[in-house]
Amino acid sequence: MKLLKKLPLLALLAILTFSCSTDSIDEKADAIVENLVVPPTKQIEIEILELINDHRLSIGLNPLADLKIVKSVAYSHTDYMVDKDEISHDNFYTRSNYLKANAGAKKVSENVAYGYSSAKTVVSAWIKSDGHRANIEGDFSNFNISAEKSENGRWYFTNIFIKK
């Protein structure tokens, strides 16, 4: 009889022990930026950075300087999107906080895209979009990009902008 009285308590304890918590979500997000890699720069990435700076110069804005730590954070997210085979801004605040803590960023923003086959087409699409264009034309000092192809040959892009 005593065992029957304790069974609900044991069941509750088991549920609480194995339930999901935000701590595990935070740990996964932190792991995304802990193992940062700076992959070799691809030609399409160079072209995107040049097109963005050309656009900024054409409207009287300063060109942005590239920064390796920004590229590594962008790469971690692009790799994440390729793995999930979907475009997203998942874990943006983790990336932003990392860049604020480790790159001296005071402000962080990002553009993402997928499916475009050239630098010109992805930058043109961003410029035609009010929100993306606002990032490209925003008050930033540095930026970088990561472009990665999925197994099915689709390009994924993460372009991060920071202001120091």
Side-chain angles (χ1 to χ4, degrees):
M1 197 66 171
K2 288 182 182 179
L3 181 61
L4 288 177
K5 289 181 181 179
K6 292 181 182 180
L7 193 57
L9 181 61
L10 288 173
L12 180 62
L13 182 61
I15 290 170
L16 292 175
T17 302
F18 295 109
S19 69
C20 198
S21 74
T22 58
D23 289 343
S24 64
I25 294 168
D26 290 341
E27 288 169 11
K28 288 177 186 173
D30 289 343
I32 290 169
V33 292
E34 281 179 6
N35 301 317
L36 295 178
V37 173
V38 181
T41 303
K42 298 173 187 66
Q43 185 61 37
I44 193 169
E45 295 168 334
I46 293 167
E47 291 170 14
I48 290 168
L49 297 178
E50 288 174 351
L51 287 167
I52 289 172
N53 271 338
D54 288 348
H55 175 77
R56 289 178 62 87
L57 288 167
S58 77
I59 59 172
L61 297 173
N62 63 304
L64 303 177
D66 62 11
L67 199 58
K68 287 192 185 292
I69 191 170
V70 174
K71 181 174 182 62
S72 65
V73 173
Y75 173 74
S76 73
H77 184 60
T78 305
D79 192 46
Y80 170 84
M81 291 190 301
V82 168
D83 284 348
K84 288 191 73 165
D85 197 26
E86 74 181 37
I87 189 170
S88 76
H89 290 283
D90 291 355
N91 306 309
F92 171 74
Y93 291 104
T94 301
R95 291 188 295 286
S96 176
N97 290 336
Y98 181 86
L99 290 168
K100 287 175 181 174
N102 296 285
K106 303 211 180 324
K107 178 176 153 184
V108 180
S109 194
E110 75 180 11
N111 289 343
V112 295
Y114 77 102
Y116 295 94
S117 59
S118 73
K120 185 176 181 176
T121 57
V122 71
V123 173
S124 293
W126 281 335
I127 290 172
K128 289 177 185 172
S129 161
D130 291 340
H132 294 101
R133 186 176 60 254
N135 289 337
I136 289 171
E137 297 175 358
D139 182 22
F140 297 105
S141 57
N142 301 86
F143 71 152
N144 219 314
I145 183 120
S146 171
E148 297 296 324
K149 265 190 182 178
S150 65
E151 287 180 5
N152 63 9
R154 180 181 293 170
W155 282 103
Y156 284 79
F157 305 89
T158 303
N159 186 196
I160 298 179
F161 303 85
I162 70 168
K163 177 172 176 83
K164 285 188 163 197

